[in-house]
Amino acid sequence: MLQNLKGLLQINSTNADAGLIIPEAPLGTGINDAINFMLDLGSRFGFETKNCDGYCGYIEMGSGAEMVGILTHVDTVPVGDGWSFPPFDLTIEGDKAFGRGTIDDKGPTMVALYAMKALADKGTLLNKRVRLIIGGDEEGDEWHCMNRYKATEEPPTYAFSPDSGYPAIYAEKGILSISLEKDLDPSTPVMGFFSGSQINTVPDYAKAIISDKVFESTGKPAHASQPQEGVNAMLILAEELKNMGLNHPFLDLVGMATREGFNIDFEDEISGKLTLNPSIANVNRDKAVLKCDIRYPVTMTGSEIGQQIAKAVEPLGFSIKINHDLAPLHMDKESYLINSLQKVYEEYTGDTTGPKVIGGGTYARAFDNAVAFGGRFPEEPNTCHQTNEFWSIESMRKNFDIMTKALENLVR
């Protein structure tokens, strides 16, 4: 499995930067190559496979009217700087397997396929089909892959996405992507300010150019659903420039880009506090743009959040544009799917803390009767979207055991 994971990691399938875009590879040749790598492996295992026009693909085993889906993806976020290991390869040091995608989500994709192989090798009687659905646009805003799948392919009866963690996840916060924009007056001091490349990542580098002088700052990347785990280079540089006495509306905006400053310090009893990540900055002589990633409570709507922010930034002359609003997911804790998955997890680990809520977004939102289940254990660090991303080999083994047992239960 590790050898095949190495081959998958060696394919550069960076979202929005995956090589040439051609009709058979609308998301980039790298993403299509990664999908085909998995399909070829599934075919060698004796399973049925299909590439859905380069957007996604699936690997299927068994027979029956109903189908259990496993929802994964093989696109990744950009690599960034500062790696100690080759990002597009598998490097093993002790119990750690390093490489972009090891935990998000190429590693879990490979583990899922081997769990299916384990069922086939055991000759487990399947009353339902199992279909590993592999997307290529999870790290983008639009999820073109799942849109393509749902337009022409059969939806799963039940599904889970091993693209998050344990225990079973019964709710995912809403995800709001916004742009705050302002046309700059000719009297505004000229400043170039650039930071971030991915909306769902804490930016680890920022640069400003003022009177031909360059100012830079560095931080620590993290997943936007947990901005407290990173260090936002944009915020550091903006504060430094303000302290130097530079007066610019963009710096004022970044200074108020907090839950309190935007008047969106919301929470609910189900999913907890809203999180805000200023992700991308682009400022030139004529225009200033700040893009933010917001994860909001399941009892709220994206439009409510947007209205609050619009009022807050209006005095600075900025307007708001909602680029993408992914509605929250909330499933009954006592549902068949949650109970089935949670039982396997509890029996394997002894952890009885119960199902949980996350700020991340998984493909579970794309289908009915789908939840996130699998990936990281509660005690494991979250290296998704970070420099030197890694996954513990012991965790891979445990995930394999849990996923195999979960499939056995769901296909009965």
Side-chain angles (χ1 to χ4, degrees):
M1 191 198 78
L2 289 172
Q3 189 62 36
N4 281 317
L5 178 57
K6 181 182 181 70
L8 182 60
L9 293 176
Q10 287 174 339
I11 301 171
N12 181 350
S13 55
T14 303
N15 190 284
D17 189 22
L20 191 64
I21 293 176
I22 54 179
E24 57 267 33
L27 301 175
T29 52
I31 288 176
N32 192 49
D33 288 346
I35 292 170
N36 283 333
F37 183 95
M38 291 302 303
L39 299 186
D40 290 345
L41 186 57
S43 180
R44 294 204 301 273
F45 288 170
F47 303 143
E48 295 184 12
T49 65
K50 181 178 179 179
N51 184 310
C52 302
D53 300 328
Y55 288 100
C56 58
Y58 67 76
I59 302 169
E60 182 175 289
M61 65 178 291
S63 61
E66 295 185 318
M67 181 243 290
V68 176
I70 311 172
L71 313 173
T72 69
H73 66 93
V74 290
D75 62 312
T76 71
V77 296
V79 169
D81 298 322
W83 282 70
S84 304
F85 309 93
F88 297 114
D89 203 351
L90 179 69
T91 303
I92 297 175
E93 282 203 355
D95 185 50
K96 296 178 180 178
F98 293 89
R100 176 57 89 216
T102 47
I103 182 65
D104 185 22
D105 189 42
K106 291 181 175 181
T109 300
M110 192 64 70
V111 170
L113 178 58
Y114 272 83
M116 292 171 62
K117 184 178 186 298
L119 292 185
D121 290 348
K122 288 171 63 176
T124 302
L125 180 63
L126 305 181
N127 293 321
K128 302 181 182 75
R129 287 167 290 138
V130 176
R131 180 177 289 186
L132 175 58
I133 302 171
I134 305 164
D137 189 31
E138 197 275 345
E139 300 294 0
D141 281 343
E142 300 300 326
W143 283 10
H144 294 294
C145 48
M146 290 300 105
N147 293 336
R148 165 60 181 81
Y149 181 91
K150 292 193 293 184
T152 60
E153 308 301 329
E154 177 187 358
T157 311
Y158 299 101
F160 65 91
S161 177
D163 187 21
S164 183
Y166 296 107
I169 294 163
Y170 72 96
E172 299 180 9
K173 292 179 182 178
I175 302 178
L176 186 67
S177 169
I178 64 168
S179 293
L180 301 171
E181 304 179 1
K182 177 183 174 70
D183 291 327
L184 299 176
D185 187 271
S187 62
T188 304
V190 177
M191 176 184 72
F193 194 113
F194 312 96
S195 182
S197 60
Q198 192 83 9
I199 191 69
N200 58 3
T201 302
V202 175
D204 63 347
Y205 175 75
K207 178 174 74 172
I209 304 172
I210 304 166
S211 300
D212 295 327
K213 188 174 182 180
V214 176
F215 302 85
E216 298 175 292
S217 67
T218 58
K220 175 187 174 185
H223 197 287
S225 66
Q226 295 179 303
Q228 72 280 2
E229 298 295 325
V231 178
N232 195 312
M234 182 198 310
L235 303 185
I236 294 173
L237 183 56
E239 184 176 8
E240 289 177 353
L241 295 177
K242 284 282 286 185
N243 291 338
M244 289 168 48
L246 182 62
N247 184 24
H248 195 284
F250 179 78
L251 301 181
D252 296 334
L253 177 68
V254 174
M256 70 181 299
T258 65
R259 291 193 301 260
E260 295 78 12
F262 282 169
N263 198 24
I264 54 172
D265 191 17
F266 300 121
E267 64 180 306
D268 64 21
E269 293 183 357
I270 298 172
S271 52
K273 277 187 171 290
L274 174 150
T275 63
L276 166 67
N277 181 58
S279 305
I280 299 173
N282 196 329
V283 181
N284 55 35
R285 179 189 300 270
D286 302 314
K287 192 169 187 175
V289 178
L290 173 64
K291 296 183 179 181
C292 298
D293 179 295
I294 298 166
R295 312 294 168 115
Y296 60 88
V298 300
T299 55
M300 303 194 70
T301 66
S303 60
E304 290 177 290
I305 306 299
Q307 289 169 12
Q308 291 293 111
I309 297 174
K311 293 177 185 177
V313 303
E314 186 178 11
L316 294 180
F318 281 84
S319 61
I320 185 172
K321 176 184 177 184
I322 294 180
N323 299 318
H324 190 63
D325 183 11
L326 193 59
L329 179 153
H330 184 203
M331 180 175 283
D332 186 347
K333 283 185 183 181
E334 303 304 320
S335 68
Y336 163 76
L337 184 58
I338 289 290
N339 278 332
S340 297
L341 298 173
Q342 186 65 15
K343 181 180 178 181
V344 173
Y345 171 78
E346 290 181 359
E347 290 179 349
Y348 188 86
T349 65
D351 179 4
T352 59
T353 55
K356 68 174 185 177
V357 179
I358 61 169
T362 73
Y363 281 150
R365 301 175 193 239
F367 300 97
D368 296 330
N369 296 319
V371 297
F373 180 71
R376 289 180 296 108
F377 289 90
E379 69 276 8
E380 288 186 289
N382 182 3
T383 63
C384 295
H385 298 192
Q386 295 191 18
T387 302
N388 294 329
E389 177 183 346
F390 72 87
W391 197 15
S392 156
I393 295 175
E394 180 62 22
S395 182
M396 292 184 197
R397 291 192 180 101
K398 292 178 179 178
N399 271 271
F400 169 80
D401 292 341
I402 291 174
M403 211 176 302
T404 303
K405 185 61 177 177
L407 288 175
E408 283 184 315
N409 287 358
L410 291 173
V411 298
R412 288 175 181 167

